[in-house]
Amino acid sequence: MELSNRFISIKNSPILFSKPFKLNTLKLLFSLPNSTESPSSQLSLSRSLQFETLKALEWSSLCERLSPFTSTSMSHSVTRNASIPIGKSLQESRELLNQTAAALAVMQIEPLDFSGIDDISGIVNSAVSGNLLTVSELCAVRRTLRAARTLFERLKDGGDCSERYIHLLEILEGCNFLMELEQKIGFCIDCNLSILLDRASEELEIIRSERKKNMENLDSLLKGISAQIFQAGGVDRPLITKRRSRLCVGVRASHKYLIPDGVILDVSSSGVTYFMEPADAVELNNFEVMLSNSERAEEVAILSLLTSEIAQSVGDVKYLLDRILELDLAFARAAYAQQINGVHPILTSEDCEGEPSIGVNCALSIDIEGIQHPLLLGSSQRSLSEVLRSNSENSAELDGGDGVIAAERLSKSASAFPVPINIKVESGTRVVVISGPNTGGKTASMKTLGIACIMSKAGLFLPAKHTPRIPWFDLVLADIGDHQSLEQNLSTFSGHISRICKIMEVASKASLVLIDEICSGTDPSEGVALSSSILQYFRDHVNLAVVTTHYADLSLLKDKDSRFLNAAMEFSLETLQPTYQILWGSTGDSNALSIAKSLGFDSNMIESAQKWVEKLMPEKQHQRKGLLFRSLMEEKNRLEAQATKATFLHSDVMKLYNEIRHEAEDLDGRVIALMKKETQQVQQEVKATKSQIEIVVRDFENLLRKASPDQFNSLIRKSESAIASIVEAQCPSDSLLVNQVDVSSHTPQFGEQVHVKGLGDKVATVVEAPGNDDTILVQYGKIRVRVKKSDIRPIQGNKRSAATNLVPGLKRQGQQIHSEFNQNEEVSYGPKVQTSKNTVDLRGMRVEEAALHLDMALSAREPRSVIFVVHGMGTGALKQRALEILGKHPRVANYEPESAMNFGCTVAYIN
């Protein structure tokens, strides 16, 4: 049946139904707002509906979440009673949000101290009623006034940050801190000891002075009489006490004669001891009683005066308490925002009117991304903390770290609950119809929107992402839950319709209406018709109405009026579980048969139900719509997966780009640092060489003084040889390995040193000019042998260093000794054992950086040693560059490429 035959058109369309309406339903439908009702009854109805809405949205539970963050008893009481202020206008709500933002700024530097603030409203009311305030109550008033003034001065002295605190300063700006009253109380009362001071009045000071003198005389008199009684055996120990507000002494009944003319004030319970007032003490006691009464009267007069001043300042005190309450609630909201990672929402009036913001999408009237229900969020946090605490307490009973694994699993699940949702409502939309399966999250999503609107009105930040935009609604009216009443003889449907009628009566053009399962619980045909009429009424009379329904026909309203918007709760057909995400602009299927089948429902009954579905839906429109929906969902998932993959790829590319850019920027700095390090090392080596030469010279001079003339030549040769060895050790070799291409074209000369392959690549000396048969005679030690020219690798002559030029004679002698050594012994490079000192690791370096590092390491090695060059496998660029340097470096006599036992490492021999 077409939708036009199922609903009532309020304007001109006729009323058409598949069956007649019931009489009660018609009465409820047409009980439209009564304009003749008095404003007071209208206001009372509005307050009643708002109270029920706050109850349905669990506003009191949310307010209780603020209680732990309050600092004063006043704020604690307000949050526990869910009486926190909610902005009555757009400006008030924006001001509350600005106060929360300012409180967050203060907390990041140093939180305010509310410890001295007491709720003195009861004390002030008592003073107004004429009751005399006590010393402790007056001290509470003084302490509160001083703490309030300190708070204001702390905010005022914020320095450069004072502009950020302007919204908090405005709270206390017009307050009277009653400094004069505070000073008077401090002048009259010592609040640390809770006593009235003598300086409170001149009369009090005189009375207390006289009383002190009289007490001294009375005490002296009674001590003397008590001592005499003790000496006479009339008492076990001297006893002075007070009876009937008069000081007296104790005496045994048998010795009362010791106090002649004394007055018996009291007798002990055993009758053994009398408490007597000596005759000489009567006048002093009378004077003490008179002075005590005078002192009390003067104290009452002082307290009365201070009480009167507080009563006269009742308006200022209560106004100050209200402002302190407002300030404390701002900090409580800020602390709660920190706990839930809340963000500052933007409240708008119409279209894009509101706070300026970059990137605002004016096409959306409501734009909230990734919001979580605050009550569900708090419950998940508490549950996780309780479970983790329980796991930590029982960790001794867990085997193999299962407790840690369980904690990680719980942490991951808690981070995904509650599921964040996006709420996107286009500008111009007046009615949103949300459809979808049961337990799919329709009601929770609608509650999340309602609680978010009220939170933003009350100055609370939202647990969402980015910057949410929400219109300011004057009323948030909700019909959520079962409103049946046995007392009022209302069924579920009757209670539901009755409440909708009340909402229609008070709702305005700036109101938000939330209705769960609209017109459910009655005949589906009548329910669709009635729902359509109600939604068309809301379309013309409220800012926004959001309803949930199982009536698929309501989604067709969007085709006739652009002010309607459809939305559906996403449902995974693979897992048969809801995803709790809203698909804006889509219509959802109930998936009742799929869910029933997954729960093990009888298959025959499922098939029978499926046949009925096909009969009730001609041409299988519903099935085609479901198939289309599933294909669209698959395409949506595929595009989301591609977008996620592209995002990760872009992130990896940017990460690599930034890494390369940072490496390039830092390369010059590394070169400078390496050159500086090499310079320092060279300077240290030069200094060490000079020190060694100075030691040789000093030893030579010492030996020369003691030696005979015939030993002079021997000492000189010995010293010259030592210095030549030192210089030779510090001079880099001029020999440079030639590559394989140049070996064949090189012709060794007589006396030249060469590497001989047949002798294990040892260094030998050419002792005969090469002949025409491509053989050369070389000498290794005392052995002469003729080898092929192809088995010889040349060694070029060493370059002379600056240090060698300074001592040419010693250098030549050192070369002569070195030549003789080569002729008599084979060259030894030490043990071929890899250690941290003879290893240079080039892995992880760039090619140019590795080349510089390797060159410095080769130049710094001691003669006749080995060095292990670790270049790794990699792409081969680093290895190739390292082998090129080893082949051309003047100090490298030979190198062994990596082998099967030593991948990624080349061993070089240093001359």
Side-chain angles (χ1 to χ4, degrees):
M1 184 178 293
E2 292 296 328
L3 179 64
S4 58
N5 295 328
R6 289 194 175 185
F7 70 91
I8 300 176
S9 175
I10 291 183
K11 293 183 179 180
N12 300 316
S13 300
I15 301 177
L16 299 176
F17 306 109
S18 61
K19 59 193 297 185
F21 261 41
K22 296 176 183 178
L23 181 60
N24 290 338
T25 304
L26 287 172
K27 288 181 178 179
L28 288 170
L29 173 63
F30 291 105
S31 59
L32 296 177
N34 187 359
S35 60
T36 61
E37 292 185 2
S38 63
S40 60
S41 62
Q42 193 86 354
L43 180 61
S44 175
L45 179 60
S46 175
R47 289 177 178 174
S48 174
L49 288 174
Q50 289 183 73
F51 175 77
E52 293 180 9
T53 297
L54 295 178
K55 183 178 179 181
L57 297 177
E58 301 178 80
W59 176 248
S60 59
S61 299
L62 180 63
C63 292
E64 287 183 5
R65 302 289 170 88
L66 296 177
S67 297
F69 304 109
T70 57
S71 301
T72 64
S73 59
M74 300 178 293
S75 302
H76 186 76
S77 176
V78 166
T79 53
R80 297 291 293 182
N81 296 330
S83 301
I84 67 173
I86 299 177
K88 297 179 180 179
S89 66
L90 176 61
Q91 290 70 24
E92 287 186 13
S93 297
R94 286 177 176 174
E95 182 61 26
L96 290 172
L97 289 170
N98 291 333
Q99 291 175 5
T100 306
L104 271 173
V106 174
M107 291 173 61
Q108 291 175 359
I109 300 176
E110 181 182 359
L112 292 185
D113 183 12
F114 289 85
S115 59
I117 304 293
D118 295 326
D119 185 4
I120 58 175
S121 56
I123 297 175
V124 175
N125 292 333
S126 179
V128 173
S129 300
N131 298 323
L132 186 67
L133 299 183
T134 63
V135 170
S136 60
E137 290 174 335
L138 290 169
C139 289
V141 173
R142 177 177 180 267
R143 183 168 57 252
T144 299
L145 293 177
R146 168 179 268 180
R149 181 165 50 84
T150 303
L151 285 176
F152 181 67
E153 292 173 352
R154 163 73 176 82
L155 290 174
K156 206 171 184 179
D157 295 339
D160 297 338
C161 300
S162 59
E163 293 185 1
R164 300 171 61 186
Y165 306 162
I166 187 65
H167 296 285
L168 300 179
L169 282 170
E170 289 176 352
I171 297 176
L172 299 176
E173 194 73 49
C175 294
N176 183 1
F177 296 98
L178 302 173
M179 292 183 60
E180 185 177 352
L181 176 60
E182 175 196 341
Q183 292 172 356
K184 283 183 179 180
I185 297 175
F187 181 81
C188 298
I189 300 176
D190 185 345
C191 289
N192 293 326
L193 302 177
S194 296
I195 59 172
L196 276 172
L197 298 173
D198 295 347
R199 67 188 183 189
S201 72
E202 195 174 322
E203 185 68 22
L204 181 63
E205 187 175 7
I206 295 173
I207 291 173
R208 287 182 174 178
S209 178
E210 290 295 330
R211 187 180 178 188
K212 181 179 179 182
K213 293 178 183 178
N214 185 67
M215 283 296 296
E216 289 176 353
N217 294 333
L218 182 58
D219 185 64
S220 177
L221 174 64
L222 294 178
K223 282 183 178 179
I225 294 174
S226 180
Q228 292 175 4
I229 295 172
F230 173 70
Q231 292 174 359
V235 71
D236 293 337
R237 58 182 179 82
L239 177 61
I240 300 175
T241 184
K242 180 176 281 190
R243 292 291 187 275
R244 299 180 184 177
S245 301
R246 304 176 73 87
L247 288 176
C248 57
V249 296
V251 63
R252 289 192 181 95
S254 58
H255 290 73
K256 66 178 182 177
Y257 65 85
L258 294 175
I259 309 177
D261 302 327
V263 180
I264 299 175
L265 299 179
D266 197 5
V267 181
S268 65
S269 58
S270 63
V272 176
T273 305
Y274 283 5
F275 299 99
M276 302 183 64
E277 180 183 15
D280 295 340
V282 173
E283 185 177 352
L284 293 174
N285 265 328
N286 291 338
F287 194 45
E288 168 63 21
V289 172
M290 182 190 70
L291 291 175
S292 177
N293 292 335
S294 299
E295 181 182 10
R296 178 57 187 164
E298 185 63 22
E299 290 177 349
V300 169
I302 295 171
L303 294 177
S304 299
L305 179 62
L306 295 175
T307 301
S308 176
E309 292 210 14
I310 291 177
Q312 293 174 4
S313 305
V314 59
D316 292 333
V317 174
K318 288 190 174 182
Y319 181 79
L320 178 61
L321 292 178
D322 290 341
R323 302 286 74 75
I324 293 174
L325 171 63
E326 185 177 351
L327 186 66
D328 189 17
L329 288 177
F331 278 91
R333 295 194 301 267
Y336 180 66
Q338 282 186 330
Q339 184 193 51
I340 65 173
N341 296 322
V343 294
H344 191 306
I346 294 179
L347 291 177
T348 61
S349 54
E350 291 182 1
D351 299 330
C352 277
E353 294 181 9
E355 298 292 340
S357 178
I358 299 176
V360 169
N361 186 3
C362 296
L364 298 175
S365 62
I366 299 180
D367 186 4
I368 307 176
E369 184 175 349
I371 187 171
Q372 297 173 290
H373 196 292
L375 295 181
L376 298 179
L377 181 64
S379 300
S380 65
Q381 290 174 343
R382 285 199 306 273
S383 301
L384 177 61
S385 62
E386 290 173 1
V387 173
L388 291 178
R389 182 168 60 253
S390 175
N391 285 343
S392 63
E393 292 173 355
N394 301 327
S395 58
E397 303 175 4
L398 298 175
D399 297 329
D402 291 342
V404 176
I405 297 174
E408 292 178 355
R409 189 182 301 112
L410 286 168
S411 179
K412 292 179 180 178
S413 63
S415 63
F417 179 81
V419 178
I421 63 173
N422 301 328
I423 303 177
K424 311 281 186 178
V425 178
E426 299 175 356
S427 296
T429 298
R430 291 293 175 259
V431 179
V432 177
V433 179
I434 304 178
S435 57
N438 291 325
T439 70
K442 299 190 303 294
T443 304
S445 300
M446 188 169 58
K447 281 187 173 183
T448 302
L449 173 60
I451 200 73
C453 294
I454 297 177
M455 287 176 66
S456 58
K457 288 182 65 177
L460 288 164
F461 285 10
L462 304 182
K465 298 178 181 178
H466 309 307
T467 305
R469 290 182 65 250
I470 304 176
W472 187 87
F473 300 105
D474 61 347
L475 295 175
V476 178
L477 305 170
D479 176 44
I480 301 173
D482 189 359
H483 299 283
Q484 65 178 340
S485 173
L486 296 178
E487 294 180 358
Q488 300 179 14
N489 193 24
L490 291 177
S491 66
T492 300
F493 177 74
S494 299
H496 175 67
I497 294 298
S498 176
R499 183 169 174 80
I500 290 179
C501 288
K502 294 177 182 179
I503 290 175
M504 294 168 67
E505 187 173 343
V506 301
S508 69
K509 284 285 189 178
S511 300
L512 170 66
V513 176
L514 306 172
I515 301 179
D516 189 26
E517 299 294 348
I518 184 170
C519 294
S520 61
T522 187
D523 180 83
S525 299
E526 294 184 354
V528 170
L530 185 58
S531 300
S532 302
S533 300
I534 293 172
L535 294 184
Q536 291 185 77
Y537 176 84
F538 284 140
R539 175 197 62 190
D540 300 325
H541 292 83
V542 300
N543 186 316
L544 180 65
V546 180
V547 300
T548 65
T549 184
H550 283 288
Y551 297 144
D553 289 333
L554 293 182
S555 61
L556 300 179
L557 292 171
K558 174 68 172 64
D559 300 334
K560 298 181 178 296
D561 195 333
S562 61
R563 287 175 292 179
F564 286 85
L565 176 66
N566 293 329
M569 302 307 300
E570 186 179 33
F571 190 84
S572 174
L573 297 176
E574 290 78 11
T575 63
L576 294 179
Q577 294 293 329
T579 64
Y580 305 105
Q581 294 296 327
I582 306 177
L583 301 176
W584 297 98
S586 301
T587 57
D589 298 327
S590 64
N591 297 293
L593 298 181
S594 300
I595 295 175
K597 185 177 181 180
S598 68
L599 296 177
F601 210 74
D602 185 71
S603 59
N604 294 328
M605 299 185 70
I606 295 292
E607 292 178 2
S608 176
Q610 186 64 41
K611 293 179 181 178
W612 275 103
V613 170
E614 293 176 357
K615 290 180 180 179
L616 294 175
M617 295 182 181
E619 300 179 3
K620 299 183 179 180
Q621 294 180 3
H622 192 70
Q623 181 179 1
R624 288 199 298 270
K625 186 168 59 175
L627 293 173
L628 178 61
F629 174 75
R630 284 194 290 272
S631 64
L632 291 175
M633 288 304 303
E634 292 174 358
E635 181 67 14
K636 172 179 173 290
N637 295 334
R638 186 182 65 81
L639 293 176
E640 287 181 350
Q642 291 180 355
T644 302
K645 183 177 180 181
T647 301
F648 288 147
L649 181 61
H650 178 265
S651 177
D652 293 340
V653 170
M654 291 304 299
K655 183 178 180 181
L656 180 61
Y657 167 75
N658 292 328
E659 181 180 349
I660 295 174
R661 181 167 58 85
H662 293 159
E663 289 287 344
E665 292 175 353
D666 194 42
L667 185 58
D668 294 338
R670 292 187 182 183
V671 171
I672 295 174
L674 290 173
M675 292 180 63
K676 183 177 180 182
K677 181 179 179 181
E678 179 66 15
T679 302
Q680 292 176 350
Q681 185 174 356
V682 172
Q683 291 175 350
Q684 292 176 358
E685 292 179 355
V686 170
K687 185 176 180 181
T689 303
K690 290 181 179 179
S691 176
Q692 294 176 6
I693 294 175
E694 289 175 357
I695 292 173
V696 172
V697 172
R698 185 167 57 251
D699 292 343
F700 170 73
E701 291 176 348
N702 293 335
L703 293 173
L704 190 63
R705 295 189 187 97
K706 300 176 182 180
S708 58
D710 56 347
Q711 295 177 336
F712 285 173
N713 292 333
S714 175
L715 290 176
I716 291 173
R717 285 193 300 271
K718 183 177 180 181
S719 299
E720 288 179 346
S721 176
I723 293 175
S725 299
I726 294 172
V727 173
E728 179 70 20
Q730 298 301 325
C731 293
S733 176
D734 292 335
S735 60
L736 180 65
L737 288 176
V738 296
N739 53 31
Q740 297 299 327
V741 179
D742 297 331
V743 169
S744 59
S745 60
H746 176 73
T747 302
Q749 302 298 322
F750 176 80
E752 183 180 351
Q753 293 181 347
V754 293
H755 287 283
V756 181
K757 182 177 181 181
L759 299 177
D761 213 20
K762 302 298 183 181
V763 178
T765 304
V766 177
V767 295
E768 182 180 301
N772 297 327
D773 55 353
D774 292 332
T775 59
I776 300 175
L777 182 64
V778 297
Q779 180 173 344
Y780 174 70
K782 295 182 180 181
I783 301 174
R784 292 192 176 189
V785 62
R786 188 173 293 278
V787 297
K788 294 182 180 180
K789 183 179 178 182
S790 59
D791 292 336
I792 292 177
R793 283 194 302 112
I795 300 177
Q796 295 182 355
N798 296 334
K799 297 180 181 179
R800 299 175 179 270
S801 64
T804 309
N805 295 332
L806 294 176
V807 282
L810 295 177
K811 175 65 179 177
R812 285 192 297 272
Q813 185 174 355
Q815 290 177 347
Q816 182 179 359
I817 295 173
H818 179 62
S819 176
E820 293 176 356
F821 175 81
N822 286 336
Q823 293 178 2
N824 296 314
E825 299 182 26
E826 66 179 49
V827 179
S828 175
Y829 290 95
K832 186 180 176 182
V833 179
Q834 184 177 3
T835 64
S836 59
K837 293 184 179 181
N838 64 0
T839 301
V840 55
D841 193 347
L842 306 179
R843 292 174 296 180
M845 299 183 184
R846 301 175 67 85
V847 174
E848 296 303 325
E849 181 184 359
L852 181 61
H853 191 69
L854 177 59
D855 184 72
M856 292 190 295
L858 294 174
S859 301
R861 289 296 299 169
E862 61 273 10
R864 296 181 178 84
S865 62
V866 295
I867 184 170
F868 293 81
V869 181
V870 181
H871 44 67
M873 302 300 291
T875 60
L878 187 62
K879 172 184 175 182
Q880 182 178 358
R881 181 59 175 157
L883 295 178
E884 290 178 0
I885 294 174
L886 293 176
K888 297 179 180 180
H889 201 281
R891 297 204 60 197
V892 177
N894 187 21
Y895 65 88
E896 296 178 0
E898 56 184 351
S899 62
M901 300 298 294
N902 196 20
F903 281 112
C905 179
T906 299
V907 182
Y909 298 90
I910 308 301
N911 279 333

